[in-house]
Amino acid sequence: MNRHVLIAIVGLTSTLLTSRANAGGAALYDLQADALDPQACGGQGCWTNHLRVTDLDGDGSLDILLANYADFFSGNEDPEPLVLYTNDGSGGFTNASASALGDYEGNLRQVAVGDVDGDGSRDIFGPSGAGGAYVLFINDGSGVFTDEADVRMPGGTYPQGAAARMGDVDNDGDLDIFSADGYSTNGPPFGHLYLNDGGGMFEELDGAIPDAITGDDIDDVEFFDADGDHDLDLVVNAHSGGTGALWLNDGAGTFAAATMIDPPGAGSQFHYNVTPCDVDGDGDLDLWIDNTGGGYTEQLLINDGAGNFLDETDARVTGGTNNSDDNGVVCADIDDDGDLDGVVIALGSAERFFENDGAGNFAFVGGVFPGPTNCSLWGEFGDLDGDGRIDLVTGQGECSSSDEVYFANDGVPVDSTAPVVRSVEVVDGPVEVDAEVVARFAISDRTVTDEGPRLARAYAVIDPSGAATEVDATAMGGDLFRVTIPGQAAGTIVFTVCAEDPSGNVGCSAEQMYDVGDGGTGSEGGSGSEGADTSASTDPTDPDSSGDASASASASDSATASDSATASAGSEGSSGTDSAGEDDSGDGGCSCDAGQQRTPAWFGLAMLGLVAARRRRR
């Protein structure tokens, strides 16, 4: 394998900037070295550029899917297997690649996972980095996959593709596919958008995306709601020479270029992943990008609520720089205090932890993740062993290839924090009698994944103080969900939207209202439609669940983790009504003390030095 690796030891680092950052912590994660034995690719592990922690066989436990490709940016034909490890429910893994995927090998740098045919099971899409045909593996419901790309997707000439995501870009209730181009050859075009007909058959939407980015070689993409209008926008991450692009959705799946994102800092290096999450609890999504802060620091871009992203790294991030070419930041509430911390997927050190103070200010805390120092290229959190704590899987390449599983120990709190309803779309009224109404809403929980919040269930409760009729929602991608409220008789309709996480914690919005026909008495357009819930109860059947809460809480007034009794921010990942670690059959009430906050005590010695790594990837 041509890995272009130069690993250098650079000695001791400078003194960390604050006493908090200087304080080491007890390791909260334990490496289980044999968790994925035998490793693929002859027992040595493959070049894992991307991975997913998700339930692929429908048994309620989180499996591990590893996307492998031995080339990085040359676009060569250098195939490796797509590897699936199934979970026995307690964190024991078995390589099921033969039975599930027919021992498929290809040039897949990234994959997208989601239910494209509406049968309740997750399917897999992958573009070829070498310009070969796409793959679209359709799940039979038990975790056995058949590639049906030749009948479900348009044919023709295939680009060299590096990244892909699924998302409902046109608000019709099914998952569409974006596949990025510009890998090794650059663009235009920079990608293709394929619209789903509802049954998993795809057609390309011509002219869907702009024809320019800033930089070269798209290596990551994310769907997320940048401007708060409850549709999925698209950020593409360029490997070098600029940030890439932020494209805003018109609501029907056509994207327009936006120049509302600060450029990388001076001296920025190659960058690989971009992560949207609400770091400051103000109800909109901010961005982390690895290595774009200058001098190998991670860049933190703060959203003003309208989709303008301002670089506030220097003011908000303290300590933890180690001059290594890192590969991304994962948003995760490690300490279960209701805000999203940052975990750097590091090349030249152990993974690095940045603790959030709740207002979006981050301080490095050493020693949280143990060694060895390796070349992590991707990471994702999820509760692998069913103990209510979030574990970590990292994909390796370059200087090492054994993919790794870190189990959370007793220092990581069990999940006791309910999901937060970040915002709810206003329903304009009055609507016609018996007309269905679609409402979209955003959910945040304990960690962020490529599928969205990892929930057991998302749903609406119609007439929460009365009949309390529940209607399941579906995942749209990013952190957005979509629920269809059946047609109603004339009057004022009251509903809440709710989410249950895999630990059984439930969080709901304030009551929303809209009028039907001429008989409504509520205010047109709903209430409590923006920002996090501020109600005092997470039980949607409790008549006091929104009684003292503001019925029109705005994003700027949204409750933070320390003062919200319903649910604190934290973003967990996976899709809406599909189970990811728990049954979908949760009731409407909260089975926990959602207001309880727990933070582990950090202690130990200061870090003496860090291993730095630099590499050339072209």
Side-chain angles (χ1 to χ4, degrees), residues 207-469:
I209 63 171
D211 60 2
I213 66 171
T214 301
D216 299 312
D217 298 330
I218 296 172
D219 56 11
D220 189 37
V221 300
E222 294 293 345
F223 280 126
F224 78 116
D225 183 8
D227 53 0
D229 61 356
H230 295 94
D231 59 36
L232 291 173
D233 306 308
L234 185 60
V235 59
V236 298
N237 190 68
H239 176 240
S240 62
T243 298
L246 173 63
W247 297 328
L248 298 183
N249 190 346
D250 68 356
T254 297
F255 294 81
T259 55
M260 299 179 292
I261 184 169
D262 275 354
S268 294
Q269 309 297 325
F270 296 144
H271 45 108
Y272 307 92
N273 302 313
V274 56
T275 301
C277 63
D278 181 7
V279 303
D280 51 4
D282 64 354
D284 55 47
L285 296 177
D286 311 299
L287 293 174
W288 278 106
I289 308 178
D290 61 290
N291 300 336
T292 56
Y296 290 104
T297 60
E298 282 61 51
Q299 187 180 34
L300 180 58
L301 296 152
I302 300 300
N303 192 343
D304 69 355
N308 302 300
F309 292 87
L310 306 176
D311 184 356
E312 297 187 12
T313 309
D314 290 345
R316 290 179 177 267
V317 184
T318 302
T321 299
N322 74 337
N323 296 316
S324 84
D325 189 10
D326 299 318
N327 286 283
V329 182
V330 181
C331 296
D333 184 8
I334 300 296
D335 47 14
D336 194 40
D337 65 351
D339 54 53
L340 288 168
D341 308 304
V343 176
V344 175
I345 303 302
L347 182 80
S349 71
E351 278 41 85
R352 302 199 305 281
F353 176 73
F354 288 81
E355 186 178 18
N356 190 342
D357 69 355
N361 303 302
F362 293 84
F364 170 66
V365 179
V368 172
F369 295 92
T373 293
N374 50 38
C375 293
S376 299
L377 301 179
W378 201 272
E380 189 166 302
F381 284 89
D383 181 7
L384 300 175
D385 53 3
D387 66 354
R389 301 176 174 89
I390 50 173
D391 311 301
L392 174 66
V393 182
T394 62
Q396 307 299 315
E398 300 200 45
C399 66
S400 63
S401 293
S402 293
D403 300 301
E404 295 173 343
V405 176
Y406 296 87
F407 285 100
N409 60 39
D410 290 345
V412 175
V414 171
D415 186 5
S416 65
T417 303
V420 163
V421 180
R422 188 171 60 78
S423 64
V424 183
E425 183 178 29
V426 169
V427 177
D428 290 325
V431 302
E432 294 181 3
V433 172
D434 294 330
E436 292 183 338
V437 167
V438 171
R440 295 175 291 185
F441 56 100
I443 298 291
S444 170
D445 200 45
R446 195 166 184 181
T447 188
V448 171
T449 81
D450 291 343
E451 283 176 66
R454 181 171 286 123
L455 302 175
R457 189 181 179 211
Y459 57 101
V461 182
I462 305 168
D463 188 15
S465 299
T469 303

Side-chain angles (χ1 to χ4, degrees), residues 42-130:
Q44 301 302 308
C46 309
W47 185 300
T48 305
N49 295 294
H50 184 234
L51 63 88
R52 288 301 334 284
V53 176
T54 188
D55 181 11
L56 290 173
D57 56 7
D59 66 354
S61 60
L62 296 175
D63 308 307
I64 298 172
L65 181 69
L66 305 172
N68 303 305
Y69 178 26
D71 183 83
F72 204 90
F73 275 106
S74 298
N76 293 324
E77 179 73 19
D78 201 354
E80 289 191 336
L82 179 64
V83 177
L84 172 61
Y85 287 94
T86 55
N87 189 346
D88 64 6
S90 60
F93 294 94
T94 301
N95 189 331
S97 305
S99 60
L101 296 162
D103 280 330
Y104 169 83
E105 290 192 355
N107 304 292
L108 303 182
R109 187 181 177 276
Q110 280 195 9
V111 293
V113 175
D115 177 13
V116 300
D117 56 357
D119 66 352
S121 59
R122 293 176 172 92
D123 311 301
I124 304 167
F125 169 79
S128 170

Side-chain angles (χ1 to χ4, degrees), residues 525-557:
S527 62
S529 58
E530 297 179 4
D533 179 24
T534 56
S535 63
S537 170
T538 56
D539 185 345
T541 64
D542 182 353
D544 294 327
S545 63
S546 63
D548 294 330
S550 168
S552 59
S554 68
S556 62
D557 295 330

